[in-house]
Amino acid sequence: MFEELSLKIDAALKKITGQGRLTEANISDTLREIRRILLDADVNYKVAKDFIDKVKEKALGKEVIASITPGQLITKIIYDELVELLGGGHSEIFLNPTGATIILVVGLQGSGKTTFSAKLAKRLKERKRKVLLVAADIYRPAAIEQLKILGQQVDVPVFSLEQKDARLVASESLKYVKEKGFDTLIIDTAGRLHVDEEMMKEVADIKEIVKPTETLFVVDSMTGQDAVNSAKAFNETVNFDGIVLSKLDGDARGGAAISIRSVVGKPIKFVSNGEKLENLDVFYPDRLASRILG
Ligand code: GDP
């Protein structure tokens, strides 16, 4: 992801690099082109517009000093604004040092929730947390089975019940955690193919029951504008704390990843970069900005 976007932005910036100085005309031309590149990459319209307006405002006020070219100057302004757009600094998840840490994982079916839950379990186990995975995706037996297999691979136990009541699974898992002395609970919830009222109600109820330390919304970065729309819908109902971008190793155009922080107003906390259980990284806005700007 981002290779094509990165190549196109680079080509646009090369044009201005050859010019002696920054003028209103060459700034406008370059930024118009970059705006079009962002829209082509599926960046949200308003996000692209606001982004370009900010870069333009900064660029117009800048004197080019002899040691740097107009291209370098505008690249630096774009880089700084991109880091800002992606959230500024990185955001950690909060791990409760005393009581149990409860992490609720939500998102649409197929977004990568189960895979992410196992990856996070692996990561936290490596940090010496006593982790329990909870299979609250009760509608698809295959989902419970998948979590059990992944749990085995990362050597983390999986809590599940025969009953078809996700709320009960959630409340029973809390009792189990107390009994067995786990300090970290990762609850994998059910998703549907599209946002629907019943699913949202169930997720909201589970949130109410378990009172999570963190609610993380997992979103498939390959799904473009739909990713941003589902993020908005989930945030309005469950008010999540952070975003996990999954499948960032895919070859989609990357616009959702760029827009989501700004549209939803919640930080991106992790990126999932592949099907292997070690393919999980903390999200750093500056690293992604560097990747996009080549
Ligand atoms: P869930 O329905 O939200 O629990 O989604 P799953 O965790 O079952 O993931 C759906 C599919 O996407 C599976 O085939 C996963 O192997 C795959 N998947 C999940 N995360 C990633 C990722 O970061 N990269 C890639 N390439 N595939 C992923």
mmCIF file of all heavy atoms in Angstrom, residues 108-115 119 140 146 247 249 272-275, ligand 1:
data_model
loop_
_atom_site.group_PDB
_atom_site.id
_atom_site.type_symbol
_atom_site.label_atom_id
_atom_site.label_comp_id
_atom_site.label_asym_id
_atom_site.label_seq_id
_atom_site.Cartn_x
_atom_site.Cartn_y
_atom_site.Cartn_z
ATOM 1 N N LEU A 108 -16.409 -4.697 11.696
ATOM 2 C CA LEU A 108 -17.231 -5.507 10.790
ATOM 3 C C LEU A 108 -16.640 -6.906 10.622
ATOM 4 O O LEU A 108 -15.446 -7.117 10.832
ATOM 5 C CB LEU A 108 -17.324 -4.833 9.416
ATOM 6 C CG LEU A 108 -18.144 -3.550 9.338
ATOM 7 C CD1 LEU A 108 -18.103 -2.995 7.921
ATOM 8 C CD2 LEU A 108 -19.589 -3.790 9.769
ATOM 9 N N GLN A 109 -17.498 -7.826 10.179
ATOM 10 C CA GLN A 109 -17.031 -9.188 9.901
ATOM 11 C C GLN A 109 -15.977 -9.145 8.782
ATOM 12 O O GLN A 109 -16.154 -8.440 7.789
ATOM 13 C CB GLN A 109 -18.222 -10.031 9.459
ATOM 14 C CG GLN A 109 -17.875 -11.480 9.215
ATOM 15 C CD GLN A 109 -19.109 -12.279 8.826
ATOM 16 O OE1 GLN A 109 -20.183 -12.126 9.407
ATOM 17 N NE2 GLN A 109 -18.971 -13.112 7.827
ATOM 18 N N GLY A 110 -14.906 -9.873 8.993
ATOM 19 C CA GLY A 110 -13.864 -9.936 7.965
ATOM 20 C C GLY A 110 -12.858 -8.795 8.065
ATOM 21 O O GLY A 110 -11.912 -8.724 7.288
ATOM 22 N N SER A 111 -13.068 -7.885 9.024
ATOM 23 C CA SER A 111 -12.157 -6.730 9.113
ATOM 24 C C SER A 111 -10.784 -7.141 9.638
ATOM 25 O O SER A 111 -9.796 -6.441 9.403
ATOM 26 C CB SER A 111 -12.761 -5.647 10.011
ATOM 27 O OG SER A 111 -12.954 -6.145 11.313
ATOM 28 N N GLY A 112 -10.739 -8.266 10.351
ATOM 29 C CA GLY A 112 -9.449 -8.707 10.905
ATOM 30 C C GLY A 112 -9.437 -8.701 12.429
ATOM 31 O O GLY A 112 -8.372 -8.753 13.041
ATOM 32 N N LYS A 113 -10.641 -8.685 13.051
ATOM 33 C CA LYS A 113 -10.733 -8.643 14.521
ATOM 34 C C LYS A 113 -10.072 -9.841 15.191
ATOM 35 O O LYS A 113 -9.327 -9.681 16.141
ATOM 36 C CB LYS A 113 -12.209 -8.655 14.967
ATOM 37 C CG LYS A 113 -12.954 -7.386 14.760
ATOM 38 C CD LYS A 113 -14.382 -7.487 15.321
ATOM 39 C CE LYS A 113 -15.164 -8.634 14.739
ATOM 40 N NZ LYS A 113 -15.390 -8.587 13.309
ATOM 41 N N THR A 114 -10.416 -11.039 14.691
ATOM 42 C CA THR A 114 -9.924 -12.247 15.362
ATOM 43 C C THR A 114 -8.402 -12.335 15.227
ATOM 44 O O THR A 114 -7.696 -12.623 16.202
ATOM 45 C CB THR A 114 -10.613 -13.492 14.760
ATOM 46 O OG1 THR A 114 -12.027 -13.292 14.867
ATOM 47 C CG2 THR A 114 -10.226 -14.753 15.488
ATOM 48 N N THR A 115 -7.919 -12.047 14.031
ATOM 49 C CA THR A 115 -6.474 -12.073 13.803
ATOM 50 C C THR A 115 -5.787 -11.042 14.713
ATOM 51 O O THR A 115 -4.794 -11.345 15.375
ATOM 52 C CB THR A 115 -6.174 -11.735 12.318
ATOM 53 O OG1 THR A 115 -6.983 -12.567 11.496
ATOM 54 C CG2 THR A 115 -4.721 -11.933 11.986
ATOM 55 N N LYS A 119 -2.993 -11.446 17.705
ATOM 56 C CA LYS A 119 -1.710 -10.731 17.616
ATOM 57 C C LYS A 119 -1.465 -9.908 18.882
ATOM 58 O O LYS A 119 -0.355 -9.859 19.406
ATOM 59 C CB LYS A 119 -1.713 -9.783 16.410
ATOM 60 C CG LYS A 119 -1.611 -10.485 15.068
ATOM 61 C CD LYS A 119 -1.708 -9.453 13.936
ATOM 62 C CE LYS A 119 -1.505 -10.092 12.580
ATOM 63 N NZ LYS A 119 -1.603 -9.121 11.487
ATOM 64 N N ARG A 140 -20.882 -17.454 14.594
ATOM 65 C CA ARG A 140 -20.192 -18.316 13.639
ATOM 66 C C ARG A 140 -19.286 -19.276 14.406
ATOM 67 O O ARG A 140 -18.258 -18.864 14.943
ATOM 68 C CB ARG A 140 -19.360 -17.465 12.675
ATOM 69 C CG ARG A 140 -20.208 -16.566 11.783
ATOM 70 C CD ARG A 140 -19.337 -15.821 10.791
ATOM 71 N NE ARG A 140 -18.253 -15.112 11.447
ATOM 72 C CZ ARG A 140 -16.989 -15.152 11.068
ATOM 73 N NH1 ARG A 140 -16.623 -15.878 10.032
ATOM 74 N NH2 ARG A 140 -16.085 -14.461 11.711
ATOM 75 N N GLN A 146 -11.604 -20.608 15.098
ATOM 76 C CA GLN A 146 -10.442 -19.856 14.597
ATOM 77 C C GLN A 146 -9.680 -19.207 15.769
ATOM 78 O O GLN A 146 -8.453 -19.256 15.833
ATOM 79 C CB GLN A 146 -10.929 -18.772 13.631
ATOM 80 C CG GLN A 146 -9.807 -17.984 12.953
ATOM 81 C CD GLN A 146 -10.323 -16.685 12.314
ATOM 82 O OE1 GLN A 146 -11.528 -16.412 12.321
ATOM 83 N NE2 GLN A 146 -9.420 -15.893 11.780
ATOM 84 N N LYS A 247 -4.646 -5.131 7.447
ATOM 85 C CA LYS A 247 -4.354 -5.409 6.033
ATOM 86 C C LYS A 247 -3.632 -4.238 5.356
ATOM 87 O O LYS A 247 -3.869 -3.943 4.188
ATOM 88 C CB LYS A 247 -5.631 -5.795 5.286
ATOM 89 C CG LYS A 247 -6.428 -6.873 6.034
ATOM 90 C CD LYS A 247 -7.573 -7.409 5.255
ATOM 91 C CE LYS A 247 -8.549 -8.132 6.180
ATOM 92 N NZ LYS A 247 -9.701 -8.667 5.507
ATOM 93 N N ASP A 249 -0.801 -4.318 4.543
ATOM 94 C CA ASP A 249 0.120 -4.943 3.587
ATOM 95 C C ASP A 249 -0.552 -5.125 2.223
ATOM 96 O O ASP A 249 0.099 -5.523 1.264
ATOM 97 C CB ASP A 249 0.577 -6.309 4.117
ATOM 98 C CG ASP A 249 -0.605 -7.197 4.526
ATOM 99 O OD1 ASP A 249 -1.474 -6.702 5.271
ATOM 100 O OD2 ASP A 249 -0.664 -8.347 4.081
ATOM 101 N N SER A 272 -1.921 -3.622 11.391
ATOM 102 C CA SER A 272 -1.780 -5.052 11.189
ATOM 103 C C SER A 272 -1.282 -5.224 9.759
ATOM 104 O O SER A 272 -1.908 -4.757 8.818
ATOM 105 C CB SER A 272 -3.177 -5.644 11.371
ATOM 106 O OG SER A 272 -3.141 -6.942 11.812
ATOM 107 N N ASN A 273 -0.129 -5.860 9.629
ATOM 108 C CA ASN A 273 0.585 -5.860 8.350
ATOM 109 C C ASN A 273 0.702 -7.200 7.676
ATOM 110 O O ASN A 273 1.642 -7.418 6.930
ATOM 111 C CB ASN A 273 2.037 -5.424 8.596
ATOM 112 C CG ASN A 273 2.150 -3.949 8.753
ATOM 113 O OD1 ASN A 273 1.526 -3.215 8.021
ATOM 114 N ND2 ASN A 273 2.942 -3.518 9.716
ATOM 115 N N GLY A 274 -0.189 -8.117 7.994
ATOM 116 C CA GLY A 274 -0.050 -9.428 7.360
ATOM 117 C C GLY A 274 -0.766 -10.481 8.170
ATOM 118 O O GLY A 274 -1.263 -10.212 9.271
ATOM 119 N N GLU A 275 -0.811 -11.703 7.619
ATOM 120 C CA GLU A 275 -1.559 -12.756 8.295
ATOM 121 C C GLU A 275 -0.768 -13.412 9.420
ATOM 122 O O GLU A 275 -1.337 -14.087 10.267
ATOM 123 C CB GLU A 275 -2.028 -13.774 7.263
ATOM 124 C CG GLU A 275 -3.079 -13.153 6.338
ATOM 125 C CD GLU A 275 -3.697 -14.144 5.376
ATOM 126 O OE1 GLU A 275 -4.573 -14.900 5.806
ATOM 127 O OE2 GLU A 275 -3.258 -14.160 4.217
HETATM 128 P P1 GDP B 1 -12.890 -10.990 11.626
HETATM 129 O O1 GDP B 1 -14.065 -11.570 10.914
HETATM 130 O O2 GDP B 1 -13.030 -9.510 11.793
HETATM 131 O O3 GDP B 1 -12.557 -11.676 12.908
HETATM 132 O O4 GDP B 1 -11.634 -11.145 10.629
HETATM 133 P P2 GDP B 1 -10.449 -12.226 10.609
HETATM 134 O O5 GDP B 1 -9.474 -11.948 11.684
HETATM 135 O O6 GDP B 1 -11.037 -13.585 10.545
HETATM 136 O O7 GDP B 1 -9.749 -11.845 9.226
HETATM 137 C C1 GDP B 1 -10.407 -11.983 7.974
HETATM 138 C C2 GDP B 1 -9.371 -12.412 6.939
HETATM 139 O O8 GDP B 1 -8.384 -11.401 6.777
HETATM 140 C C3 GDP B 1 -8.601 -13.671 7.324
HETATM 141 O O9 GDP B 1 -8.403 -14.445 6.161
HETATM 142 C C4 GDP B 1 -7.276 -13.145 7.868
HETATM 143 O O10 GDP B 1 -6.228 -14.062 7.679
HETATM 144 C C5 GDP B 1 -7.079 -11.918 7.011
HETATM 145 N N1 GDP B 1 -6.285 -10.884 7.694
HETATM 146 C C6 GDP B 1 -6.463 -10.357 8.928
HETATM 147 N N2 GDP B 1 -5.561 -9.407 9.197
HETATM 148 C C7 GDP B 1 -4.772 -9.299 8.092
HETATM 149 C C8 GDP B 1 -3.641 -8.468 7.734
HETATM 150 O O11 GDP B 1 -3.173 -7.601 8.481
HETATM 151 N N3 GDP B 1 -3.124 -8.671 6.482
HETATM 152 C C9 GDP B 1 -3.602 -9.604 5.631
HETATM 153 N N4 GDP B 1 -3.029 -9.717 4.437
HETATM 154 N N5 GDP B 1 -4.662 -10.381 5.929
HETATM 155 C C10 GDP B 1 -5.235 -10.248 7.145
#
